[in-house]
Amino acid sequence: MGGLYGNAAATALEDCPPAARGLLSGMLQQGYAFGYLLATVFARALVDTTPHGWRPLFWFGACPPLLIIIFRLCLPETKAYQDRDAVRHAKGNITETFLAEGRIALKRHWILLTYLVLLMAGFNFMSHGSQDLYPTMLTNQYNFSPNAKTVTQVVANLGALAGGTIVGYCSQILGRRFSIVIMSIVGGLLLYPYSFTPNKRIMAAAFFEQFCVQGAWGVIPIHLMELSPGSFRTFVVGTSYQLGNLVSSASSTIEATIGERFPLPPKGKTARYKYGLVICIFMACVYVYVIILTVLGPEKLGHDFGIEHDVDLADAAGSEPLEVVLRRNERKEVERDSSEEGLQRSSQVPKDVSEVEQKV
């Protein structure tokens, strides 16, 4: 699963028209929220109602990879990858060129790579810190029934779907960093109702809180793509995401451990804790961390993914192979334009002839 993220982001966004990058980035990232929503529904429908326990959820989870395999087999490689591969072949030694690109990228961009890992640690803390312990809070602290808990999570993920798509699109206009900062500020303001509303009205807070969390996340795929060095774009995107995920993997454990310091009166033999307080404090710290890192970090809105703008590739492969591929692309573009003009002329001839005949 870790190996899929960077490649999926590259496949979806490398050849995307610049004006649509933000929107498609948000749609891509909200596959996470849509999967979470489906898992919530299937868990309620199958896990607690069948003798198989947790197993049906994993049986369901085995189906999406089959769709990924089919999609990947039917789709071509992106033009950005094909051009880069052509340069390596033109150079003659593919392995040597690839390794040279890696050495140059690490030497020039190691500070950026470190920054992206730290940024993604904050973002993963943001999502897991607001989601992982939340169902436990609803049932343990506020005594929600299984059905009420499921409905609340579904509403929250609907907000996530809307936020990721809308904010991803708006980031194309407002900028990547500005969109992330605004969502973090608004999300911080919503933390109190998100974690301290003791009844079903909490659904509204959950909708808008996850709108903000996943709204900021919707910017991330294209933000990482634009910042990453071209030669190792998929590696940087996938690795920074997963290393950040590794750092934040203990978020629910941290929250649960801290929550034990704030006990509530037990319900029978069940111990109860103020998980809402812990989530609120924890997420406030995470939002501040994300805002600081985002403000201090770079942004390359509209960065061109073409090989002609990749300095690392030019230094690793040399100018001659790069020029060969660029000239080949220019010839193909001229041939394509000529063929399109020819088709337009041929389609206009019958119309012109008919107009002359009518005049005669």
Side-chain angles (χ1 to χ4, degrees):
M1 292 175 66
L4 287 174
Y5 186 82
N7 290 284
T11 301
L13 300 174
E14 271 189 335
D15 289 350
C16 174
R21 285 180 180 176
L23 175 63
L24 291 185
S25 174
M27 293 174 66
L28 169 70
Q29 183 60 39
Q30 291 328 299
Y32 169 90
F34 184 62
Y36 196 122
L37 188 152
L38 292 178
T40 300
V41 173
F42 273 77
R44 181 68 188 103
L46 300 175
V47 172
D48 299 326
T49 58
T50 65
H52 301 292
W54 51 266
R55 292 173 181 82
L57 192 60
F58 282 79
W59 297 339
F60 163 73
C63 296
L66 296 177
L67 297 176
I68 295 174
I69 292 172
I70 294 172
F71 291 158
R72 184 61 269 177
L73 289 174
C74 296
L75 291 171
E77 294 288 354
T78 63
K79 183 180 181 298
Y81 170 81
Q82 292 175 1
D83 289 345
R84 196 173 303 279
D85 190 54
V87 171
R88 291 167 182 160
H89 278 85
K91 174 68 174 177
N93 192 325
I94 301 174
T95 304
E96 182 182 343
T97 306
F98 178 77
L99 294 176
E101 291 176 58
R103 287 193 295 270
I104 292 172
L106 290 174
K107 183 177 180 180
R108 291 179 176 174
H109 307 292
W110 67 271
I111 296 178
L112 175 64
L113 301 183
T114 304
Y115 165 77
L116 292 179
V117 171
L118 295 175
L119 179 66
M120 293 315 299
F123 267 86
N124 279 285
F125 270 120
M126 185 194 298
S127 58
H128 293 292
S130 65
Q131 295 170 352
D132 291 359
L133 202 65
Y134 201 68
T136 304
M137 182 200 78
L138 295 176
T139 55
N140 181 276
Q141 183 174 349
Y142 296 132
N143 299 312
F144 273 41
S145 67
N147 286 336
K149 177 187 72 173
T150 300
V151 172
T152 303
Q153 288 184 280
V154 169
V155 170
N157 280 284
L158 290 175
L161 286 167
T165 305
I166 293 171
V167 178
Y169 173 74
C170 291
S171 74
Q172 200 65 35
I173 303 168
L174 303 175
R176 315 295 186 207
R177 292 187 300 165
F178 183 79
S179 300
I180 292 171
V181 169
I182 290 298
M183 286 299 99
S184 298
I185 292 173
V186 177
L189 296 175
L190 291 170
L191 282 175
Y192 183 82
Y194 181 67
S195 52
F196 284 95
T197 305
N199 50 49
K200 293 183 180 179
R201 294 177 182 176
I202 201 172
M203 293 182 189
F207 179 93
F208 289 107
E209 181 66 32
Q210 289 305 314
F211 182 101
C212 294
V213 170
Q214 293 302 321
W217 261 105
V219 183
I220 283 300
I222 190 58
H223 189 44
L224 294 181
M225 288 280 291
E226 290 174 335
L227 290 178
S228 300
S231 300
F232 280 83
R233 190 172 291 129
T234 55
F235 170 79
V236 171
V237 173
T239 304
S240 61
Y241 177 93
Q242 297 303 340
L243 285 177
N245 207 12
L246 174 65
V247 173
S248 68
S249 60
S251 57
S252 59
T253 304
I254 294 171
E255 288 179 327
T257 302
I258 298 175
E260 293 175 357
R261 299 183 180 182
F262 303 96
L264 288 169
K267 184 180 180 181
K269 295 182 179 180
T270 304
R272 298 172 63 236
Y273 303 100
K274 295 181 180 179
Y275 289 128
L277 175 63
V278 177
I279 290 174
C280 186
I281 296 172
F282 184 85
M283 285 298 299
C285 297
V286 170
Y287 277 132
V288 171
Y289 173 84
V290 169
I291 289 172
I292 292 173
L293 271 187
T294 303
V295 171
L296 296 178
E299 179 176 343
K300 294 183 180 180
L301 178 64
H303 177 68
D304 197 315
F305 295 149
I307 57 173
E308 62 272 21
H309 299 279
D310 191 343
V311 179
D312 296 341
L313 179 62
D315 290 345
S319 59
E320 185 175 347
L322 193 63
E323 291 173 2
V324 168
V325 175
L326 290 175
R327 285 197 298 268
R328 184 203 66 183
N329 290 345
E330 289 176 3
R331 286 196 302 271
K332 286 184 178 180
E333 195 170 329
V334 170
E335 291 172 359
R336 190 186 312 115
D337 293 341
S338 300
S339 62
E340 289 177 356
E341 290 176 4
L343 289 173
Q344 289 176 358
R345 290 197 199 97
S346 62
S347 63
Q348 291 174 356
V349 169
K351 182 180 178 181
D352 296 340
V353 171
S354 62
E355 289 177 354
V356 171
E357 290 175 350
Q358 289 176 2
K359 289 179 181 179
V360 170

